[in-house]
Amino acid sequence: MKNPFETDEQRAFRDSFARFVDTEIKPFADEWDEAGAIPWDLHRKAGALGMFGFGIDEAYGGLGFDDCFMRAAVAEELGKCGATGVGAALGARNISTGPIALLGSEELKRQVLPQILSGDVGSSLGITEPSGGSDVANLKTTARQDGNEWVLNGTKTFITGGMTSRYFVIGARTGGPGLAGISLFFVEADTPGFTRTPLDRKMGWWCSDQATLFFDDCRLPADSLIGPENKGFIAIMNNFNFERLALIAQSLGMAKLCLSESIAYANERETFGKRLIEHQVIAHKIADMSARIDSLDAYLNQICWMANEGPTPVAEISKAKFLSTKILEYCASEAMQVFGGAGYLRGNPVERIYREVKVMAIGGGSEEIMKDLAVRQMGVVH
């Protein structure tokens, strides 16, 4: 579906990234997913295309500009690759670089951002805890001052890139209860008192590592505090909006792949003396999937335009987040019906997408949390 807002520059960027996905990812996606990892050189190739540089000054290796259409294009094209754990493995750093660029000292930005944005090293954001994911206000990890150091104690879990990242941005409670008592800290992987263990046997995202992080009297220098004390929540919230935008676009890409795979299979497979596509019940599935995808495509384009014009359309992003995963769930289920038994076999992208729907519906804010945030942003509930 044509994007009425798209510029020549945005189109060229999308085309360039789509070629990268087609040549550097798609042929190997199934192999990497089964192996449980992607080659690190792929991070560097993605970094060279500017995937990690949106909204960050060129002095630190960034693009020097931001564009939500381009952000969405990256996520959508990665959603079409057939193994969306690849996008998770590459994109984990994107939600950690924002707080560094926004609140970090000049020294910290110059020291770590070029390494992260180039793809040479990984970085992760640590907010989610075993006791609660979206309930950031009740975050339990603590940081207390002891002389010229901070002492960090607590646990983070479901941290994407947690086993491979060198740098971490960790949310910890430094003040009283609620959102006003949260600060952010920069932690390096080799810091004494910091350990991590992988989350194994996941339903999906096999080629993206997720980990549980442990901080046991982890001592950090005074300058590890990122930004003002007790002011970390704002930076976290800004990040969540970009993360949710990416999840919307990736869900769209995944749904489009379900549709294209279904059309191809329905044109090839024959039953009862004719191609599947010639059976009205199958043709109607294609029409229903396409209509839902077009509606999400148009909604995402409108949101990207609104975000570029400012301010960030939080209510619309929240609504699109749960809408996109419901559309993806529908398309994945219908694609499985089109494929029948063939869709149940490993190595088929439809099988993988069917398993990975739920991580898209939960990650970045569950459907239930997004609906609650949407009505509050709309002013319906106070």
Side-chain angles (χ1 to χ4, degrees):
M1 192 164 118
K2 183 176 175 58
N3 177 1
F5 304 108
E6 191 172 57
T7 65
D8 290 342
E9 183 182 13
Q10 290 164 347
R11 188 178 303 109
F13 178 82
R14 175 186 285 275
D15 291 345
S16 174
F17 203 83
R19 286 193 297 272
F20 167 69
V21 172
D22 284 342
T23 58
E24 300 287 346
I25 298 177
K26 278 186 179 179
F28 317 105
D30 186 62
E31 174 189 340
W32 293 341
D33 207 47
E34 293 289 340
I38 65 173
W40 197 264
D41 192 49
L42 193 69
H43 292 262
R44 297 187 179 94
K45 290 177 180 179
L49 287 175
M51 176 181 170
F52 313 129
F54 292 109
I56 298 177
D57 197 280
E58 289 178 284
Y60 313 119
L63 294 175
F65 69 91
D66 208 342
D67 188 295
C68 279
F69 285 108
M70 292 184 179
R71 283 182 181 264
V74 167
E76 182 184 330
E77 295 304 325
L78 284 169
K80 298 175 186 175
C81 80
T84 51
V86 175
L90 291 173
R93 58 174 49 78
N94 284 346
I95 56 173
S96 67
T97 53
I100 296 173
L102 179 66
L103 300 173
S105 67
E106 185 68 19
E107 181 182 358
L108 179 64
K109 288 187 283 191
R110 290 192 179 277
Q111 174 190 342
V112 304
L113 284 177
Q115 302 175 55
I116 299 170
L117 302 182
S118 67
D120 284 341
V121 303
S123 64
S124 297
L125 177 70
I127 301 297
T128 300
E129 298 182 342
S131 59
S134 298
D135 191 9
V136 180
N138 284 317
L139 185 147
K140 291 180 171 52
T141 297
T142 62
R144 61 176 176 83
Q145 281 189 294
D146 183 17
N148 200 34
E149 293 180 317
W150 289 96
V151 183
L152 194 61
N153 280 283
T155 306
K156 303 292 182 180
T157 195
F158 297 111
I159 306 305
T160 302
M163 294 304 299
T164 53
S165 289
R166 182 184 298 179
Y167 302 129
F168 293 83
V169 175
I170 302 297
R173 187 163 303 286
T174 50
L179 298 173
I182 297 172
S183 300
L184 298 178
F185 293 87
F186 180 78
V187 182
E188 297 193 45
D190 59 358
T191 303
F194 171 43
T195 56
R196 47 190 172 174
T197 58
L199 290 176
D200 292 326
R201 301 181 62 80
K202 296 174 297 180
M203 185 175 179
W205 278 9
W206 294 348
C207 61
S208 170
D209 78 274
Q210 278 75 35
T212 300
L213 316 180
F214 302 94
F215 304 94
D216 299 300
D217 287 335
C218 180
R219 290 187 170 269
L220 307 172
D223 62 3
S224 64
L225 176 67
I226 302 176
E229 186 177 345
N230 298 327
K231 300 294 183 182
F233 177 72
I234 294 175
I236 297 170
M237 288 300 100
N238 288 338
N239 258 345
F240 282 167
N241 287 320
F242 285 128
E243 180 185 12
R244 289 162 186 163
L245 181 81
L247 289 167
I248 295 163
Q250 190 170 13
S251 295
L252 175 63
M254 294 164 73
K256 286 183 176 181
L257 181 61
C258 287
L259 177 61
S260 63
E261 290 288 318
S262 296
I263 292 172
Y265 186 75
N267 274 285
E268 172 190 309
R269 171 77 164 152
E270 290 189 3
T271 62
F272 303 101
K274 57 184 178 181
R275 294 174 302 144
L276 272 182
I277 197 68
E278 296 175 290
H279 294 280
Q280 188 181 65
V281 67
I282 300 300
H284 284 186
K285 288 182 184 296
I286 300 298
D288 284 336
M289 291 165 67
S290 181
R292 285 166 170 79
I293 288 168
D294 284 351
S295 68
L296 178 58
D297 208 347
Y299 197 12
L300 178 59
N301 288 336
Q302 182 72 22
I303 288 170
C304 288
W305 179 83
M306 293 171 71
N308 279 357
E309 295 295 309
T312 302
V314 178
E316 285 73 22
I317 289 174
S318 303
K319 288 182 283 187
K321 171 62 169 62
F322 68 77
L323 176 66
S324 67
T325 55
K326 282 301 184 186
I327 289 174
L328 172 58
E329 182 178 3
Y330 177 86
C331 291
S333 180
E334 290 298 88
M336 285 289 284
Q337 290 300 117
V338 172
F339 272 80
Y344 203 68
L345 301 177
R346 293 251 291 270
N348 186 322
V350 169
E351 180 271 339
R352 188 180 298 110
I353 288 173
Y354 191 82
R355 284 189 287 106
E356 294 182 344
V357 166
K358 279 304 173 186
V359 73
M360 305 301 291
I362 296 169
S366 69
E367 292 173 355
E368 294 79 9
I369 292 291
M370 290 297 93
K371 290 176 182 179
D372 186 61
L373 178 58
V375 293
R376 285 190 281 113
Q377 288 289 321
M378 293 163 59
V380 177
V381 175
H382 299 284

